[in-house]
Amino acid sequence: MGNEEQSVMQKIVSLCKRRGFLFQSSEIYGGMNGCWDYGPLGVELKRNVKEAWWSEMVTHHDDISIPQGAASAFEMTGLDCSILMHPQVWKCSGHYDLFHDMMIDCKDSKRRYRHDQVRGRWALLDDKRVFVTAICEPEEEQEVLLARAQKCFGLRAKDRSRIRWDGDVVSLETVDDFEFVFGPDAKEAGSLTEPREFNLMFKTHMGALFDENSIAYLRPETAQGIFVNFKNVVDSSRVRIPFGIAQVGKSFRNEITPRNFTFRVREFEQMEVEFFCHPDSSQEWYRYWRDRRMEWYKKLGLSESRLILREHDSAELSHYSTGTADIEYAFPFLPEGEYGELEGIAHRGDFDLRSHMEGKLNPATDPLEVEVDERGKPVHRGSGKDLSYRDPVTNEKYIPHVIEPSAGADRATLAFLCEAYTEDMAPDEKGQLQGRVVLKFHPRLAPIKAAIFPLVKKDGMPEAAQDIYRDLKKEFPVFYDNKGAVGRRYRRMDEAGTPFCLTIDGQTLEDGTVTLRDRDSMDQTRLSVEEAKQVIREAIRC
RNA sequence: GCGGGUGUAGCUUAGUGGUAAAGCACCAGCCUUCCAAGCUGGCUAUGUGGGUUCGAUUCCCAUCACCCGCUCCA
């Protein structure tokens, strides 16, 4: 593929590898699907993304002022939970049921079904006996099954009456031999595969014994660690509602199709807040967090034209959620007009805390009820612990409602990388315009804040530059380079996204001033080292 | 998971059933007073595993990874 035909995304992937932002995991052994490693520059970039998030959410949060748009002042605190948790956590959260489906593939239609959702009925025609299946609403089941049976036997409509039924409509789970099963979208019988476990949670074993009782799961989200620690945090930290608990950490999902660089991966890092509030003010808090999170991405450089806030419509919402919005970004690997999710802000009501109290709630019920088996017992028992909150002022006791802004650290990092990638023209030594690749990171996110260059490798310039390097290094991540022409060094730093370069020349030795070169404009300014430090300080603050 | 495509150096590409080529990048040195200069030298590759063959990077099979489409996206 020629350079001109390369897509923007391919160029970004190539730059990421060339400059050490991202590598394929286990590359020397052929790579690992859906796993990526952050290189020397990438780790700094991602750390800066997470640090910008954590500092805004937790360390720099002002507990006593009322932020713009907020209903009141509120507190924010942090948490770092273990990745392995009690299996019951995932049963009550709904992940166990949702992530553990037995799936069936149709070799004919290429469709996939949940084993327990496929229903059908044994149909007889002459000496033929076929289990005819369908996926449809219960009220139209009889009609659809008849139509499918007709198709299966290759009958005309007028001959439908020749079909006889053997038994009632039952689940496909009652059928052992798939050879005589007519799939819901198949053209002939026998196209369905045996049910296969589709495990979207990573399974492992605790302890040395590998048996059913030792199964543990790698967390598929960080949120549950916060919910199960809700009581611990309330009891130990004097926080009062409204307050939020933040957590950054790895989560694992056995994605069916890892795709699009680090966008859809099997091991990823989340940045989540669970914000606990009174049910009456929850809508107000939902809007607050939705809008505030959108601003965060803009503030760190994502362009407004590539970002959208997408409110889920009622069909997309779980009914217990009274609002969910996605912050989405127009990644270059997506078709024009399509966006990929960076963060979801969900109003989760009291679903999570109640599930951990009473047992897994059935999300299809309204009001929410504990999901029970045929004997009326909870399908998954809750902890039985009281996770409600007593307001110390009003003495009101209630289960808090939860607003959940849940962001992907890797997706955010990728968005910042894509946004930063720029090709422009810059003059070379002879004044000829040459193509230039530059990563225009917000200085706050840039892995290296400034590079220190002696203009040439002689006349005491390296020594003076090294002194300045050591001085700046105490405050910023800076980089020293004395190799080759200064223009080449500038371009290298452009590809690393370094916002400033300080060049030390003969005049530096006389009056202590340096040249500060700006990455984006390539403008050069003569100023003192102190002034240059101040410029960098102000740029990385936001 | 299905279908199609691709896999040669750090990157981008060339080429061949018989010693694998180049540009850029990178490293060392020289030179160099502000945007990829020049000179000298150097490092580095046929994704992995089989098969066919005297000999495979090339042909075949499998596998892995990536890309595109479908599916999935809880």
Side-chain angles (χ1 to χ4, degrees):
Chain A
M1 187 176 304
N3 219 15
E4 294 76 21
E5 300 151 36
Q6 251 200 321
S7 74
V8 172
M9 202 57 216
Q10 284 173 307
K11 290 191 212 173
I12 291 171
V13 173
S14 164
L15 173 65
C16 281
K17 176 161 192 201
R18 183 155 40 92
R19 288 299 180 195
F21 282 95
L22 281 156
F23 308 122
Q24 173 94 60
S25 167
S26 317
E27 195 187 78
I28 62 166
Y29 286 109
M32 190 74 178
N33 191 222
C35 299
W36 297 88
D37 296 341
Y38 287 83
L41 288 177
V43 65
E44 296 299 336
L45 175 65
K46 187 176 165 188
R47 273 166 48 88
N48 290 340
V49 170
K50 291 186 286 181
E51 196 282 325
W53 185 90
W54 187 263
S55 95
E56 168 156 330
M57 289 299 155
V58 184
T59 50
H60 288 157
H61 173 74
D62 176 350
D63 287 343
I64 52 180
S65 308
I66 303 177
Q68 173 118 43
S72 67
F74 58 92
E75 293 176 80
M76 291 294 290
T77 186
L79 205 56
D80 184 12
C81 306
S82 66
I83 287 170
L84 298 169
M85 297 177 73
H86 195 290
Q88 199 65 17
V89 170
W90 309 115
K91 291 183 174 165
C92 287
S93 70
H95 291 91
Y96 180 84
D97 292 341
L98 213 53
F99 283 27
H100 270 251
D101 298 326
M102 297 300 280
M103 303 296 283
I104 290 161
D105 288 307
C106 177
K107 287 175 272 193
D108 219 359
S109 66
K110 308 295 182 203
R111 285 175 182 270
R112 170 174 296 153
Y113 315 96
R114 264 176 58 179
H115 190 202
D116 60 347
Q117 280 182 349
V118 180
R119 290 165 59 78
R121 197 175 184 188
W122 285 102
L124 303 170
L125 180 79
D126 305 329
D127 58 342
K128 283 178 283 190
R129 186 168 179 270
V130 175
F131 190 74
V132 178
T133 63
I135 301 255
C136 59
E137 298 300 321
E139 49 269 26
E140 57 189 19
E141 201 165 54
Q142 295 294 344
E143 184 53 34
V144 173
L145 283 174
L146 183 60
R148 293 293 296 158
Q150 178 196 330
K151 170 141 182 120
C152 178
F153 293 126
L155 293 174
R156 295 165 187 241
K158 65 181 168 65
D159 295 326
R160 274 183 173 193
S161 53
R162 291 175 54 203
I163 298 168
R164 287 178 297 118
W165 298 103
D166 180 10
D168 288 331
V169 177
V170 290
S171 168
L172 181 60
E173 290 170 304
T174 62
V175 178
D176 292 328
D177 190 353
F178 278 50
E179 194 187 333
F180 301 107
V181 173
F182 186 54
D185 302 284
K187 292 193 195 74
E188 55 189 48
S191 68
L192 297 185
T193 62
E194 293 290 315
R196 290 177 287 191
E197 187 176 359
F198 233 77
N199 206 335
L200 265 51
M201 276 199 290
F202 281 94
K203 212 186 256 184
T204 187
H205 290 264
M206 296 279 276
L209 282 177
F210 265 53
D211 59 26
E212 275 299 305
N213 296 323
S214 68
I215 291 175
Y217 300 94
L218 304 192
R219 65 180 176 199
E221 64 172 37
T222 57
Q224 297 304 322
I226 299 178
F227 294 128
V228 301
N229 276 294
F230 172 74
K231 197 169 150 52
N232 281 337
V233 172
V234 170
D235 291 349
S236 64
S237 70
R238 298 178 64 222
V239 286
R240 287 187 187 177
I241 280 180
F243 72 93
I245 303 178
Q247 174 165 220
V248 175
K250 283 276 175 83
S251 292
F252 303 82
R253 295 182 191 182
N254 219 340
E255 293 287 352
I256 297 164
T257 318
R259 196 66 70 94
N260 292 328
F261 207 23
T262 59
F263 183 78
R264 182 171 292 275
V265 286
R266 295 205 163 112
E267 174 178 343
F268 58 101
E269 202 153 12
Q270 292 183 296
M271 308 186 289
E272 292 194 305
V273 169
E274 304 302 327
F275 188 80
F276 300 93
C277 59
H278 192 281
D280 291 348
S281 54
S282 61
Q283 283 302 324
E284 216 171 326
W285 286 113
Y286 165 68
R287 290 191 295 272
Y288 168 72
W289 280 109
R290 181 196 60 192
D291 298 342
R292 174 172 169 191
R293 290 303 305 148
M294 185 74 174
E295 286 310 306
W296 186 78
Y297 292 98
K298 291 184 194 166
K299 193 166 66 177
L300 285 170
L302 295 192
S303 69
E304 215 150 327
S305 62
R306 299 183 77 86
L307 271 175
I308 55 162
L309 185 68
R310 193 177 63 81
E311 289 274 358
H312 288 205
D313 57 34
S314 51
E316 209 175 345
L317 281 178
S318 16
H319 89 261
Y320 59 82
S321 175
T322 45
T324 298
D326 286 346
I327 295 171
E328 301 184 334
Y329 180 73
F331 284 100
F333 52 77
L334 295 171
E336 188 75 28
E338 286 189 22
Y339 298 80
E341 182 182 345
L342 292 176
E343 171 161 353
I345 298 97
H347 186 311
R348 298 189 54 83
D350 59 5
F351 183 87
D352 304 280
L353 288 177
R354 269 189 65 201
S355 288
H356 286 302
M357 286 173 71
E358 304 168 13
K360 192 213 160 195
L361 298 171
N362 180 355
T365 52
D366 188 14
L368 288 166
E369 288 167 14
V370 173
E371 199 172 314
V372 291
D373 60 19
E374 53 277 6
R375 290 170 306 166
K377 295 258 179 70
V379 173
H380 299 300
R381 287 180 56 195
S383 66
K385 300 286 186 291
D386 184 4
L387 303 182
S388 62
Y389 175 82
R390 183 179 294 279
D391 189 297
V393 178
T394 64
N395 218 25
E396 183 191 358
K397 191 173 173 178
Y398 60 94
I399 299 173
H401 278 208
V402 169
I403 311 302
E404 177 188 82
S406 170
D410 306 272
R411 288 183 174 186
T413 303
L414 182 59
F416 289 124
L417 257 170
C418 293
E419 180 80 32
Y421 183 86
T422 314
E423 293 175 15
D424 62 10
M425 303 300 280
D428 65 13
E429 188 194 38
K430 302 182 188 72
Q432 301 274 310
L433 280 178
Q434 303 283 345
R436 176 178 83 132
V437 171
V438 49
L439 291 180
K440 295 187 174 178
F441 292 127
H442 188 292
R444 172 83 183 255
L445 301 180
I448 302 166
K449 308 305 181 193
I452 320 296
F453 300 150
L455 184 58
V456 289
K457 218 180 342 179
K458 62 181 186 186
D459 300 338
M461 287 179 215
E463 291 76 11
Q466 285 164 20
D467 286 343
I468 292 168
Y469 164 79
R470 289 185 197 101
D471 179 35
L472 265 67
K473 191 78 176 175
K474 292 174 192 153
E475 199 177 344
F476 314 107
V478 292
F479 179 78
Y480 175 81
D481 189 6
N482 65 8
K483 294 187 261 306
V486 73
R488 178 186 294 268
R489 286 177 265 161
Y490 286 149
R491 298 299 173 84
R492 263 199 288 255
M493 284 296 107
D494 288 341
E495 281 198 343
T498 305
F500 302 107
C501 295
L502 269 62
T503 301
I504 281 71
D505 58 15
Q507 197 181 329
T508 310
L509 305 173
E510 290 162 25
D511 62 11
T513 60
V514 297
T515 305
L516 183 79
R517 182 260 194 185
D518 180 85
R519 174 195 66 198
D520 300 345
S521 64
M522 294 185 280
D523 289 343
Q524 305 192 54
T525 326
R526 184 118 216 144
L527 30 62
S528 72
V529 174
E530 249 341 289
E531 288 168 326
K533 280 159 80 173
Q534 196 51 36
V535 168
I536 300 168
R537 265 182 219 122
E538 277 165 28
I540 63 179
R541 190 162 54 202
C542 83

